[in-house]
Each structure stands twice: as C-alpha cells, then as structure tokens.
C-alpha cells in the first residue's frame, strides 16, 4: 500500500501546544478527516480549523472532510457493550471514508485532541479497520501535549513525588475508590466530581477546566477546603458554555 494515515496529536487547547513535528505532519496531508461530535463540541472543531489555518504553509490546500460521529447511547446500563457497538459503527464509517477520500499515494490525517495515547479511540478504531481488511493503509502517530501534562504545567506540579507511582484514570473508576498502590491520580472524563468522596481525607487537588484556552479555570488546595468551590465553578462554567472539559491531579498528602 502507499496510502498513509497520520494521527496527529494537536495538544489540549492552546494552539501553541502544536509541536514542530505536528506542523510538519499537517503539511504532508492531502485530506483531513475531521470528526464532529455534535453541537456541544463545535468549538473544538473550530479550534481544529484554526490550527490548520495557522500552520498550513502557503500553497497547501488540503481537502477537509467532516466525519459525523454516530450517536452514542450514554444512558445504557451495559456501558462496555454500548461503547463496543458505537466503536464498531464508527470504524465502519471511518473505514469507508478512508477508502473513499484518501486515494492511493495520498496522505490522510486525523487531528486528535491532546495526545492520541490518552483516552482517545482513534488508534483503536484504525486497528479495527485494518483488522477487517476492507481498506489498507500505513499509519503514523505524532504525539501531542495531553491535558494532564497541560494541567500539571499550569499548576507547576509534577505528576509524581519521589519514585512514586501515578495512575491515569476516569471519574467513573475514582468513584469506586482511590487506587491502593498509587499516591497520585490523574482523573479525566469525570462528569460527577468524584473527588468529593475524599473531602474528609488528607488529599490535595489540582483542578483545571478548559486548560490552555481563554476560558481556563484553575483551582488547587486540600480537597476539604476547595472541593465545594470546584463543584460550584464547574457547574457555572458548564452552564455558561454548554459543555466542559476538566482534569485534575488528586494526591495523598503526604504520600504513604
Ligand atoms: C476523550 S478524553 C481526550 C483526552 C486527550 N486525548 C488528551 O490527551 O488530553 C477527554 C477528556 O480530556 C480532558 N481534557 C481534554 N482537554 C482538556 C483541557 N483543555 N482542559 C482540561 N481537561 C481536558 C477532560 O477530562 C476530558 O473529559
């Protein structure tokens, strides 16, 4: 095959997160496949377009193809099964789009929020497509600044204390308890402020919403002191903008 698909991490919101390697990759693409998740996240699609406008060299005019995301049943009790169905449908649509839009000899590209290795399904979907064998392509991954990295930089804290272990997890998992063998946890995809259950423990939180963007909000301190403030500011921001993306580092203080 001489069809290529680039998976380009574009950073977590600040256009300056885009690496030199990503800029070079952006300028190799003949076509961008832009995933659209619905009106709530239009702003993210706009940001991707801004990044293209800013970094495309003169004379380059790649095609831009929108890939509407299949609707996802978020109320389903069988969460894992619902995600699996949704991924299968997504992979059928993306496979068809790659076959249709990226000609032999061309380069197609996906712009992935943050880093493609952190809670993002693009690489899994591409593996699915390749496994089905309907379309073949080579693919390359260009890493980006992930939201946990952007968060830690804004709070000027490292992920771990001396020789400590760090876990990256979801709000859903944190709601079941703090991991036994980590002192520091990076929490993503938390719709319910799972940190609240640790309000009576010795934990510090470093929280950030829309990190790297003009709407950025940062709050840090003992969960006992700042937990309520985070819940309140999160709700306000979500109400105002219609959507939210937030991440936090939760750490035992002191480590065990
Ligand atoms: C589907 S994951 C994608 C993560 C992405 N691949 C990354 O490297 O950051 C979406 C979650 O990332 C986090 N997130 C992404 N961008 C963020 C930002 N600018 N500020 C705070 N959290 C962010 C939120 O926890 C959000 O729920």
């Amino acid at each position: 095959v001489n069809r290529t698909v680039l998976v380009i991490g574009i950073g977590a919101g600040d256009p300056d997160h885009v690496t030199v390697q990503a800029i070079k990759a952006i300028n190799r693409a003949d076509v961008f496949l832009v995933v659209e998740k619905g009106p709530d996240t239009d702003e993210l699609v706009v940001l991707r377009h801004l990044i293209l406008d800013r970094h495309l060299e003169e004379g380059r005019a790649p095609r831009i193809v929108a890939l509407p995301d299949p609707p996802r049943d978020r109320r389903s009790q069988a969460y894992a099964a619902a995600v699996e169905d949704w991924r299968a449908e997504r992979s059928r649509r993306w496979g068809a789009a790659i076959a249709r839009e990226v000609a032999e000899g061309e380069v197609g590209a996906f712009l992935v929020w943050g880093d493609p290795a952190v809670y993002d399904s693009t690489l899994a979907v591409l593996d699915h497509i390749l496994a089905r064998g309907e379309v073949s392509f080579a693919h390359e991954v260009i890493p980006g600044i992930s939201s946990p990295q952007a968060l830690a930089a804004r709070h000027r804290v490292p992920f771990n204390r001396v020789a400590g272990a760090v876990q990256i997890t979801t709000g859903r998992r944190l709601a079941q308890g703090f991991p036994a063998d980590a002192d520091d946890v990076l929490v993503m995809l938390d719709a319910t402020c799972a940190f609240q259950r640790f309000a009576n423990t010795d934990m510090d939180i470093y929280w950030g919403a829309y990190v790297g963007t003009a709407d950025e909000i940062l709050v840090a301190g003992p969960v006992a002191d700042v937990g309520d403030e985070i819940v309140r500011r999160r709700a306000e921001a979500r109400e105002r903008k219609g959507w939210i993306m937030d991440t936090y580092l939760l750490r035992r203080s002191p480590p065990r």
Side-chain angles (χ1 to χ4, degrees), residues 3-207:
R3 180 191 268 131
T4 302
V5 172
L6 304 178
V7 181
I8 308 173
I10 56 169
D14 184 339
D16 281 355
H17 286 167
V18 179
T19 67
V20 175
Q21 192 181 25
I23 295 171
K24 289 181 181 169
I26 283 170
N27 283 289
R28 279 171 64 197
D30 299 296
V31 54
F32 285 92
L33 302 160
V34 180
V35 181
E36 295 186 347
K37 302 192 186 208
D40 280 4
T41 48
D42 267 359
E43 235 175 295
L44 302 187
V45 173
V46 169
L47 235 150
R48 287 188 175 84
H49 286 284
L50 281 179
I51 284 171
L52 289 185
D53 286 348
R54 172 150 154 201
H55 296 296
L56 276 173
E57 286 158 11
E58 220 164 287
R60 300 232 22 119
R63 305 189 300 284
I64 297 183
V65 174
L67 284 184
D69 234 7
R72 182 158 161 189
D73 184 4
R74 290 182 184 277
R75 293 150 313 169
S76 171
Q77 291 302 306
Y79 183 77
V83 169
E84 216 23 68
D85 284 354
W86 176 77
R87 282 197 173 177
E89 174 57 20
R90 201 183 203 196
S91 96
R92 275 190 293 277
R93 293 189 186 195
W94 290 22
I98 291 169
R100 191 176 62 237
E101 305 290 348
V102 189
E104 289 282 321
E106 283 196 332
V107 176
F110 289 93
L111 299 178
V112 172
W113 197 255
D115 181 76
V118 183
Y119 288 115
D120 182 85
S121 56
T122 308
L123 296 176
V125 174
L126 293 182
D127 283 343
H128 236 162
I129 296 170
L130 288 169
R132 279 206 320 275
E134 286 149 25
V135 49
S136 55
F137 51 85
H139 64 307
E140 295 172 31
V141 179
I142 290 87
I145 306 288
S146 65
S147 53
Q149 289 174 285
L151 173 85
R154 294 296 290 134
H155 282 291
R156 297 172 295 182
V157 290
F159 286 176
N160 63 290
R161 263 87 41 98
V162 181
V166 180
Q167 188 174 103
I168 301 181
T169 193
T170 62
R172 197 178 273 267
R173 284 183 176 275
L174 184 72
Q176 275 144 41
F178 199 91
D181 48 5
D183 288 317
D184 297 70
V185 181
L186 289 154
V187 185
M188 305 176 69
L189 298 158
D190 182 2
T192 59
C193 296
F195 56 81
Q196 291 176 94
R197 87 171 254 180
F198 305 102
N200 298 318
T201 62
D202 265 347
M203 297 236 183
D204 291 329
I205 186 168
Y206 298 85
W207 177 83

